[in-house]
């Protein structure tokens, strides 16, 4: 540790480092960002992410060298309030929203953010997915109220974008410890098949093919079709499907697929997309746990920042992104998780191996929030 805080190499896990730096108040220097590339330095979407961080904080100090290969970040106070941001269309709004979900509860005043750009693309979690799985997870930690909302105002598919999303979140004083160890069986599946600038029939074709797979397992399936027209349909054609399975204990596992962006790679038939997405959902159910793979890092961060009490969460196999996230939590908060691997019994139909994550929170209380 130098006086410059933590030092990292390379452009991987860029958001994780900046988000954890902001929450822990520790300075961070990232060197060698794509230094050996033909086009070195930060990409436009990363610069856009830094600008968004600057908007929701007060007094952050950001220094970038001329080539964009070294970044120094000294976090300010999380301020919140009303923010508007045009997200770079290289990545979807989900890329920016995921980070805001981690930061929003710790703002000084409730965050009301309007993000514009690509709402659905094949790379990042879509807004529909975050709305249906991340918000219920946050409520478990005591972040709730009328103000916790994610709303898709306009859809915009890659590459053109043109979508708009509204996200608001109340500021919260401290988080509750949780014991999420028994996911329970799947009781119903909900979903949304969306289509913009293509025939409305696309949505119906996706729903039919997804149901053909899922109806073999349970009857309670409702997939809503969402066809946006005119000014609300963004600039590029496309379609996709987000599926969410809810368990009897109120946990959500999700899977999603979007069509290939116009002008990139092979196009996919709506029937194949529906079937593949249903298969992905079944795989997610097999992996199981109380939190699906796209929200593992959110759950682990909220556990880390909880009160000084034991929190436990049962997860499916950890994704590579989550494993790196755990290393970063150790760097920024000096918190280590206890990891127990649980193998299902032979006769139980409980899917793959599970991991029980246990930690004691750092007792993080929101110093930014003003006392009323």
């Amino acid at each position: 540790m130098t006086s410059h805080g933590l030092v990292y190499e390379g452009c991987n896990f860029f958001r994780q480092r900046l988000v954890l730096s902001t929450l822990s108040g520790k300075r961070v220097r990232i060197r060698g960002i794509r230094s050996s590339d033909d086009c070195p330095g930060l990409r436009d979407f990363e610069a856009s992410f830094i600008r968004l961080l600057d908007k929701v904080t007060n007094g952050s100090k950001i220094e970038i060298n001329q080539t964009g290969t070294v970044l120094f970040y000294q976090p300010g106070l999380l301020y919140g309030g009303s923010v508007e941001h045009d997200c770079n269309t290289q990545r979807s709004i989900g890329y920016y929203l995921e980070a805001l979900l981690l930061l929003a509860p710790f703002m000084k005043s409730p965050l009301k953010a309007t993000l514009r750009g690509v709402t659905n693309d094949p790379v990042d979690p879509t807004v529909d997915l975050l709305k249906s799985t991340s918000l219920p997870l946050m409520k478990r930690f005591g972040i709730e109220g009328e103000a916790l909302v994610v709303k898709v105002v306009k859809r915009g598919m890659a590459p053109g974008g043109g979508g708009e999303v509204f996200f608001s979140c109340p500021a919260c004083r401290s988080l509750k410890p949780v014991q999420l160890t028994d996911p329970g069986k799947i009781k119903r599946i909900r979903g949304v098949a969306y289509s913009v600038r293509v025939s409305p029939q696309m949505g119906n074709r996706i729903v039919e093919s997804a149901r053909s797979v899922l109806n073999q397992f349970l009857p309670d399936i409702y997939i809503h079709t969402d066809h946006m027209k005119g000014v609300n349909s963004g600039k590029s054609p496309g379609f996709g499907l987000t599926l969410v399975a809810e368990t009897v204990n109120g946990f959500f596992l999700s899977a999603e697929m979007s069509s290939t962006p116009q002008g990139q790679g092979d196009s996919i038939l709506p029937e194949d997309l529906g079937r593949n997405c249903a298969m992905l959902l079944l795989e997610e159910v097999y992996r199981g746990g109380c939190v699906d793979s796209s929200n593992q890092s959110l759950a682990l961060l909220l556990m880390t920042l909880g009160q000084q009490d034991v929190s436990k969460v049962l997860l499916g196999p950890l994704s590579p992104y989550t494993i790196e996230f755990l290393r970063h939590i150790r760097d920024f908060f000096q918190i280590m998780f206890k990891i127990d691997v649980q193998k299902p019994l032979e006769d139980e139909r409980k899917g793959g191996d599970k991991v029980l994550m246990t930690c004691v929170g750092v007792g993080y209380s929101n110093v930014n929030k003003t006392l009323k």
Side-chain angles (χ1 to χ4, degrees):
M1 295 281 280
T2 61
S3 61
H4 287 312
L6 295 159
V7 180
Y8 289 108
E9 285 286 333
C11 63
N12 287 349
F13 311 106
F14 181 76
R15 283 181 308 169
Q16 287 186 10
R17 289 165 183 169
L18 294 187
V19 165
L20 290 173
S21 159
T22 309
L23 287 169
S24 64
K26 290 186 177 163
R27 293 177 292 186
V28 64
R29 180 182 290 274
I30 303 176
R31 299 188 304 221
I33 299 172
R34 300 190 181 86
S35 47
S36 53
D37 268 30
D38 296 344
C39 170
L42 291 168
R43 294 284 175 266
D44 291 347
F45 68 87
E46 290 163 333
S48 175
F49 178 69
I50 295 172
R51 282 196 293 278
L52 177 61
L53 269 185
D54 195 37
K55 284 178 187 173
V56 296
T57 56
N58 190 358
S60 292
K61 186 174 163 199
I62 301 158
E63 293 170 11
I64 300 171
N65 70 348
Q66 278 185 320
T67 51
T69 51
V70 180
L71 166 78
F72 171 70
Y73 175 68
Q74 181 173 338
L77 288 174
L78 281 165
Y79 191 74
S82 291
V83 175
E84 292 200 8
H85 187 66
D86 291 322
C87 302
N88 188 282
T89 52
Q90 290 172 342
R91 298 294 287 264
S92 84
I93 291 176
Y95 174 84
Y96 303 89
L97 188 56
E98 268 191 306
L100 280 185
L101 288 170
L102 300 174
L103 295 170
F106 310 105
M107 302 280 179
K108 179 173 182 177
S109 46
L111 178 70
K112 293 182 174 57
T114 304
L115 304 174
R116 297 186 187 86
V118 175
T119 53
N120 305 76
D121 76 351
V123 186
D124 296 298
T126 64
V127 178
D128 305 275
L129 181 92
L130 296 173
K131 177 180 173 180
S132 51
T133 59
S134 305
L135 298 191
L137 178 64
M138 290 168 75
K139 287 178 180 162
R140 298 242 170 205
F141 287 89
I143 306 164
E144 54 196 342
E146 297 292 302
L148 187 59
V149 182
V150 170
K151 187 169 168 223
V152 182
V153 185
K154 302 176 183 173
R155 275 194 194 281
M157 302 291 287
E164 183 178 308
V165 171
F166 174 73
F167 167 56
S168 76
C169 177
C172 109
R173 191 77 206 150
S174 59
L175 300 176
K176 295 194 297 207
V178 294
Q179 305 281 327
L180 312 180
T181 51
D182 180 18
K185 291 192 164 67
I186 304 293
K187 68 173 176 184
R188 59 174 168 218
I189 292 175
R190 295 290 177 261
V192 56
Y194 50 86
S195 53
V196 290
R197 300 197 172 269
V198 291
S199 153
Q201 271 303 311
M202 291 292 193
N204 303 339
R205 287 163 65 185
I206 295 172
V207 173
E208 284 296 305
S209 59
R211 292 192 70 119
S212 69
V213 175
L214 298 172
N215 272 344
Q216 299 170 32
F217 299 97
L218 79 171
D220 188 355
I221 299 172
Y222 184 77
I223 304 174
H224 164 77
T225 54
D226 179 10
H227 182 70
M228 285 198 172
K229 299 190 186 73
V231 289
N232 292 346
S233 64
K235 299 174 183 170
S236 301
F239 51 86
L241 173 65
T242 301
L243 290 173
V244 179
E246 187 184 343
T247 72
V248 287
N249 294 346
F251 296 107
F252 297 88
L253 304 171
S254 60
E256 62 178 3
M257 277 190 89
S258 295
S259 59
T260 325
Q262 191 183 17
Q264 300 173 19
D266 301 329
S267 55
I268 181 168
L269 284 171
E271 283 78 8
D272 295 344
L273 184 134
R275 203 173 307 111
N276 295 349
C277 188
M279 292 298 192
L280 280 175
L281 182 69
L282 295 177
E283 188 178 328
E284 197 62 62
V285 169
Y286 176 79
R287 293 171 60 121
C290 296
V291 179
D292 62 358
S293 40
S294 59
N295 285 304
Q296 286 177 349
S297 47
L298 174 63
L300 295 174
L301 180 74
L302 294 177
M303 286 166 70
T304 304
L305 297 177
Q307 292 167 16
Q308 291 178 324
D309 199 350
V310 178
S311 286
K312 293 185 179 185
V313 171
L314 185 70
L315 301 175
L318 299 181
S319 66
Y321 185 82
T322 309
I323 291 167
E324 198 58 45
F325 194 73
L326 287 169
R327 292 184 182 132
H328 282 120
I329 285 180
R330 184 191 60 199
D331 292 352
F332 285 99
F333 290 104
Q334 284 74 52
I335 285 281
M336 304 277 269
F337 279 78
K338 176 165 171 264
I339 303 180
D340 293 324
V341 178
Q342 303 193 335
K343 294 206 178 294
L345 301 171
E346 286 297 311
D347 54 345
E348 278 189 289
R349 293 194 173 180
K350 287 278 181 76
D353 295 353
K354 307 283 185 288
V355 194
L356 183 64
M357 309 291 291
T358 312
C359 83
V360 175
V362 291
Y364 188 91
S365 74
N366 188 346
V367 287
N368 308 322
K369 184 170 159 58
T370 42
L371 283 168
K372 290 257 164 41

